[in-house]
Amino acid sequence: MKRIIILLAVSFFIFTSSSASGKLPHNENMAQIATDATNIMRTKPYLQNPFNEGITVFWLTNVPVHSWVEYGTDPQKLDNRAETWIDGQSVCNNKQHKVRLKNLKPDIKYYYRVCSQEITLYEAYKKEFGPTACSEVYSFSVPGSKTTDFTAIIMNDLHKSKKTVSRLAGLIKNINYDMVIFNGDCIDDPRDETSVIDFLSYMNEQVHAESVPVYYIRGNHEIRNAYSIRLRDLIDYVGGNTTYGAFNWGDSRFVLLDCGEDKPDSTAAYYGLNSFESFRQEQAGFLKKELSGDAFKKASARILIHHIPLYGMPSEEYLPCKEMWHPLLKKAPFNLSINGHTHSFAFHPKGECENNFPVVIGGGPSMETATVMILKKKKNRLTLSVLDSEGKELLKKEL
Ligand SMILES: [Fe+2]
Ligand SMILES: [Fe+2]
């Protein structure tokens, strides 16, 4: 009898404390007390992959919702609506939202906002909804095949340092940039969703990812820790299902590769859970195809980006990517290769260390070593400027 009374008391306490805070778990069989609309959005939207007349909008909510994007060319009249459907079904009752806007006209300013309506009950024959929250209205534009100009910002090896990303973002605040590339080791050793979202949102807000598309390249540190495999839930990788790929920004071609880990797959700390040898081989196949493809050949500028450098590295370093990719790259007509990983800024002119193109390596996470790169193309003129954390120009090159 005493045990029953205790159980009843515990159950009553759990029920009253959770319903008072409005935090009953959402599931298909239990009605949820609606969340305050101001508490629905977890992050601002962030933009990715502005190509093929489309752009991907991503955001997160605190509660399961039904989400959509409203957009148009008039900020007062967001006439178009897009949401994600899979096999005839709306992707909803979830907290991570990825919507692709399609059939956009190039070089035109679009305005958009993201909206999410809470789903408080999702049953087979009954659904209940809570309030709707919408973000502010933001703008973006996508390049077309005739676009010749761009300004890209590249940062690398931030290693979750908010101080560094905020300092570097401060240096570029007066520049009108079109895209941002985070070249690996930024979301260092992703442990769990909370810490990942915290830093990802911070980076995104610093570079205005709600209006400027962002590319996240995987470094060796994004491959470590419990949440590493789930980063792909938050990122729309250029290659779709793969972390490597290529894209056009107008008449310029960007090729992004993923070097994987920086030690052999057999390293004890990987516990047999890595297979980067075959992954690098797979990319050799991709690279071969890419270099002989029309998009690459016709491009007026070609930029190669990957985290671990192939060239200018100490001879004792483990460099399996060089072994596999150098035979393809030794004659490839890239204007520039951009790398990170060493935490030490370096520039290797074409031909200095078997490299068929200039190689620039960005710095590290500390204020003493951090760098930000500004890669600019105006018609046929491609220029690179590298700044240290004080804004001092370490390099200015025409490529
Ligand atoms: Fe690093
Ligand atoms: Fe690294």
Side-chain angles (χ1 to χ4, degrees):
M1 187 60 186
K2 197 176 164 191
R3 198 180 289 168
I4 292 170
I5 292 170
I6 292 171
L7 272 173
L8 282 172
V10 169
S11 311
F12 177 76
F13 172 76
I14 290 170
F15 176 77
T16 50
S17 59
S18 52
S19 53
S21 62
K23 283 187 180 156
L24 279 171
H26 285 67
N27 74 40
E28 306 84 49
N29 300 312
M30 191 186 287
Q32 160 77 18
I33 293 167
T35 305
D36 187 321
T38 56
N39 196 33
I40 288 178
M41 295 299 186
R42 184 171 179 187
T43 68
K44 275 188 184 180
Y46 51 104
L47 301 173
Q48 293 175 86
N49 289 336
F51 50 66
N52 295 340
E53 298 170 351
I55 198 162
T56 303
V57 189
F58 220 116
W59 73 105
L60 288 105
T61 51
N62 289 311
V63 291
V65 291
H66 171 216
S67 284
W68 62 91
V69 179
E70 296 171 356
Y71 65 103
T73 51
D74 179 349
Q76 308 301 328
K77 230 167 94 195
L78 303 175
D79 278 346
N80 304 294
R81 177 177 160 135
E83 66 178 280
T84 303
W85 303 87
I86 289 184
D87 301 330
Q89 207 180 4
S90 171
V91 178
C92 67
N93 204 28
N94 57 350
K95 297 180 186 176
Q96 294 169 345
H97 316 292
K98 176 182 166 183
V99 177
R100 181 87 184 156
L101 309 186
K102 297 171 184 165
N103 303 317
L104 302 172
K105 292 191 179 80
D107 297 321
I108 281 181
K109 200 167 186 179
Y110 280 91
Y111 297 87
Y112 80 104
R113 65 177 189 170
V114 299
C115 298
S116 296
Q117 182 175 26
E118 186 180 14
I119 296 180
T120 52
L121 182 75
Y122 193 107
E123 285 183 356
Y125 304 105
K126 188 179 180 193
K127 281 148 187 85
E128 287 178 2
F129 297 87
T132 300
C134 290
S135 69
E136 286 174 38
V137 174
Y138 303 110
S139 65
F140 69 85
S141 60
V142 297
S145 57
K146 293 193 174 77
T147 308
T148 54
D149 299 0
F150 68 79
T151 300
I153 299 296
I154 302 106
M155 298 186 199
N156 61 279
D157 291 272
L158 296 168
H159 285 271
K160 285 203 298 230
S161 169
K162 289 186 177 176
K163 220 171 136 189
T164 304
V165 67
S166 123
R167 171 74 70 87
L168 298 179
L171 299 175
I172 51 157
K173 69 173 190 287
N174 295 324
I175 297 175
N176 231 340
Y177 47 91
D178 303 293
M179 65 179 127
V180 177
I181 301 171
F182 289 111
N183 192 10
D185 282 10
C186 290
I187 310 170
D188 175 307
D189 299 359
R191 188 182 70 245
D192 52 36
E193 192 187 73
T194 307
S195 58
V196 166
I197 301 297
D198 180 57
F199 190 66
L200 182 74
S201 302
Y202 191 81
M203 290 199 301
N204 287 342
E205 289 190 24
Q206 291 296 308
V207 298
H208 310 290
E210 68 278 3
S211 298
V212 179
V214 173
Y215 297 84
Y216 310 92
I217 294 177
R218 199 167 67 159
N220 52 306
H221 275 278
E222 270 93 8
I223 296 164
R224 298 174 187 174
N225 221 341
Y227 198 80
S228 55
I229 196 69
R230 292 183 57 200
L231 277 183
R232 61 185 56 246
D233 296 344
L234 306 174
I235 294 173
D236 189 27
Y237 287 114
V238 165
N241 288 327
T242 60
T243 51
Y244 62 88
F247 68 92
N248 266 71
W249 188 284
D251 62 357
S252 301
R253 190 73 171 161
F254 287 78
V255 179
L256 315 183
L257 297 175
D258 182 341
C259 300
E261 264 293 2
D262 62 351
K263 294 172 197 69
D265 291 342
S266 57
T267 304
Y270 304 152
Y271 292 88
L273 297 172
N274 288 348
S275 177
F276 286 110
E277 209 173 310
S278 56
F279 182 61
R280 291 181 194 107
Q281 199 67 58
E282 179 186 311
Q283 289 179 81
F286 156 78
L287 193 54
K288 196 172 173 191
K289 214 169 145 197
E290 169 64 24
L291 298 177
S292 60
D294 271 0
F296 185 83
K297 284 184 179 165
K298 284 181 186 163
S300 74
R302 303 173 188 97
I303 297 113
L304 174 66
I305 310 186
H306 50 85
H307 178 69
I308 301 178
L310 304 192
Y311 303 107
M313 296 290 275
S315 56
E316 66 276 14
E317 201 84 9
Y318 171 67
L319 291 173
C321 297
K322 189 176 177 193
E323 262 171 56
M324 279 189 205
W325 303 342
H326 176 66
L328 297 164
L329 292 173
K330 64 184 179 192
K331 287 190 178 154
F334 282 103
N335 295 72
L336 175 71
S337 173
I338 299 174
N339 311 134
H341 185 65
T342 61
H343 296 193
S344 174
F345 164 74
F347 180 75
H348 302 293
K350 178 178 172 173
E352 187 189 87
C353 36
E354 302 174 80
N355 47 325
N356 190 44
F357 32 77
V359 170
V360 63
I361 302 173
S366 67
M367 288 301 170
E368 293 71 37
T369 58
T371 57
V372 56
M373 301 181 193
I374 303 134
L375 181 67
K376 219 179 242 192
K377 184 166 171 284
K378 251 188 177 309
K379 298 265 167 59
N380 281 324
R381 199 166 165 246
L382 186 67
T383 55
L384 173 73
S385 163
V386 182
L387 307 180
D388 70 8
S389 66
E390 299 292 332
K392 193 179 124 206
E393 200 163 53
L394 301 174
L395 180 82
K396 191 170 176 71
K397 278 267 166 221
E398 187 151 350
L399 302 154

